[in-house]
Amino acid sequence: MQEVNNKPVGADSMIDIGMFDPKTLLFYTNSHGFLCLKVGETDHKRVKLARVLPFSEPYRYISVATMESKEIGILKDVADLPEAQAAIVREELEHRYYCPVVTEILSIKEKMGYFYFDVKISEHKKLFAVKDISKSIKMLDEQSIIITDVDGNRYQIRNVWAIDSKSRRRIEPYLY
């Protein structure tokens, strides 16, 4: 790699994605419960996390950004952090990426361009609406489905082949 003034030049400099050295990080929550990060001597008083690969690698490749959405860097693996910090990061990710699991589909009805899903999540009923069904239902692999409602909330069916046959028949026409 060619360097000028100890800095990479050319294509190599364009692929630096800012991976953190986990030994230099200190994640903590402030007195108001907000996530903060100290990187070396720099203290970021409030940060937000985003999963780069949210479904395939939920605890690897975590983007850390300021509240103004300026990326600070990427944490390769939460497991590389000390357990107390890893727990803080996992809790923050679970809160941000809350995705209830649909256990049964009671009905799907169309009305005025919206599709209304009446489902069970655990033992609780939930009704939500989907506008563009072809863009709102995604197969993640051969068995997992993510449904995004009109408010941006996500719902997951972990295994479409394991739910009851009535539920499967109700969702199958919308799986493209």
Side-chain angles (χ1 to χ4, degrees):
M1 170 173 50
Q2 183 183 11
E3 291 188 7
V4 174
N5 296 330
N6 296 323
K7 293 187 179 184
V9 175
D12 289 339
S13 66
M14 295 176 13
I15 60 171
D16 178 15
I17 58 172
M19 292 293 228
F20 284 126
D21 175 357
K23 295 179 197 101
T24 66
L25 304 178
L26 175 63
F27 284 96
Y28 65 97
T29 53
N30 66 18
S31 60
H32 301 289
F34 295 118
L35 183 66
C36 306
L37 172 64
K38 189 170 184 182
V39 184
E41 297 301 315
T42 305
D43 198 357
H44 299 277
K45 295 297 182 187
R46 193 161 171 208
V47 295
K48 57 185 176 179
L49 306 178
R51 290 174 168 157
V52 176
L53 304 169
F55 301 111
S56 61
E57 298 281 354
Y59 295 107
R60 297 189 69 208
Y61 303 104
I62 307 301
S63 173
V64 182
T66 64
M67 295 311 291
E68 294 78 30
S69 298
K70 182 178 182 295
E71 187 171 79
I72 301 165
I74 295 177
L75 173 62
K76 184 175 181 184
D77 196 332
V78 173
D80 295 339
L81 296 171
E83 186 50 42
Q85 288 186 60
I88 292 170
V89 170
R90 280 193 296 270
E91 182 179 339
E92 185 75 18
L93 288 168
E94 289 305 312
H95 182 262
R96 178 176 167 89
Y97 287 93
Y98 175 67
C99 186
V101 175
V102 172
T103 56
E104 186 179 352
I105 300 172
L106 303 171
S107 70
I108 302 173
K109 297 178 182 171
E110 191 214 351
K111 185 176 180 182
M112 297 179 65
Y114 289 88
F115 289 83
Y116 293 88
F117 284 68
D118 189 5
V119 301
K120 277 193 178 179
I121 297 170
S122 297
E123 294 303 315
H124 304 286
K125 286 179 69 174
K126 171 77 176 165
L127 181 67
F128 61 88
V130 169
K131 177 69 173 163
D132 185 348
I133 204 153
S134 65
K135 292 181 181 176
S136 299
I137 298 178
K138 301 276 189 226
M139 292 288 298
L140 299 178
D141 52 35
E142 290 90 32
Q143 62 188 25
S144 306
I145 299 170
I146 291 290
I147 305 167
T148 307
D149 73 8
V150 293
D151 295 320
N153 301 310
R154 293 177 299 241
Y155 303 87
Q156 181 178 20
I157 299 174
R158 289 195 175 134
N159 186 342
V160 71
W161 312 115
I163 61 175
D164 67 278
S165 61
K166 286 183 181 178
S167 294
R168 190 170 43 259
R169 279 196 306 274
R170 290 179 180 120
I171 193 76
E172 278 181 333
Y174 308 107
L175 303 178
Y176 303 120

